Amino acid sequence: MKSLGGKAYVDASGSAVATIGSGPLKVMFLGHIDTVAGDIPVRIEDDCLYGRGTVDAKGPFCAAIAAASRLTEETLDRLSLTLIGATEEEAPSSKGARHALAAYPRPDLLIIGEPSGWDAMTLGYKGRLVLRVVVAKPNHHSAGSESSAADDAVRLWNRVAVWVAGFNRAQERIFDQLQATLQSIATDDDGLEQRCTLTIGFRLPPRL
């Protein structure tokens, strides 16, 4: 990005940022440079690039940088372009995007590089909510009639799933539906207390 002729730097959130152009139309391209966990070796096969992050969203961000390198002086007199490769998009913190929201002027046009297929444009995103639920109760003998922390946690998740199904009954489009996923469940005990921890992820439609 330093070769584009403007400024290129790492901002306070760790995001990679470049600015070029001096025109009145403010355009921002936001991608992210972190990946989800897991190593997929990078390779090129039949002119296609494979590997963790080649599509979401390093591919679009690299394409934006390449496109910016082809802008003419005439175009750069008409627009001011900011390129941001944000950090922690794959984490609930969204550190880079939240920093950009507060640190940079509001653009006239914002393009977010996420995979939508080559012939599609995504017009909006659903919100995200992640809950960590801990059920804790005193230990008891397994031959007794009391429920375990895991029993109670599973009942809780089942209630959530039933409520979500009812909420979605009248919603045909998946974009308008509330999506709930049991992302993880784990149990432990120290001999005196038993615990069950759930991580529940929600994708929220605009009305929520």
Side-chain angles (χ1 to χ4, degrees), residues 157 179-184 199-202:
W157 162 247
Q179 295 166 276
T181 304
L182 181 57
Q183 296 179 344
S184 68
T199 303
I200 303 175
F202 295 93

Side-chain angles (χ1 to χ4, degrees), residues 4-54:
L4 296 178
K7 294 191 297 183
Y9 57 95
V10 176
D11 72 10
S13 70
S15 298
V17 181
T19 58
I20 60 172
S22 57
L25 180 65
K26 295 179 176 61
V27 180
M28 179 181 288
F29 187 98
L30 180 73
H32 66 88
I33 54 177
D34 63 322
T35 67
V36 295
D39 180 33
I40 300 176
V42 175
R43 72 184 195 280
I44 296 175
E45 186 177 302
D46 296 329
D47 290 328
C48 291
L49 179 65
Y50 295 84
R52 175 66 82 213
T54 53

Side-chain angles (χ1 to χ4, degrees), residues 64-147:
I65 296 169
S69 72
R70 299 176 185 178
L71 295 177
T72 64
E73 289 296 326
E74 180 184 2
T75 300
L76 292 174
D77 287 338
R78 294 162 53 197
L79 63 81
S80 298
L81 175 64
T82 302
L83 298 162
I84 301 177
T87 53
E88 296 187 18
E89 193 273 347
E90 297 292 359
S93 62
S94 298
K95 182 178 179 181
R98 291 182 186 277
H99 177 78
L101 185 64
Y104 301 108
R106 184 184 181 95
D108 299 306
L109 299 171
L110 171 64
I111 303 169
I112 299 176
E114 286 279 352
S116 304
W118 67 270
D119 59 349
M121 182 177 291
T122 299
L123 298 180
Y125 288 93
K126 297 173 83 164
R128 184 177 184 218
L129 174 67
V130 179
L131 296 182
R132 181 173 176 266
V133 181
V134 179
V135 178
K137 61 193 307 181
N139 233 342
H140 58 82
H141 198 284
S142 59
S145 59
E146 291 187 54
S147 62

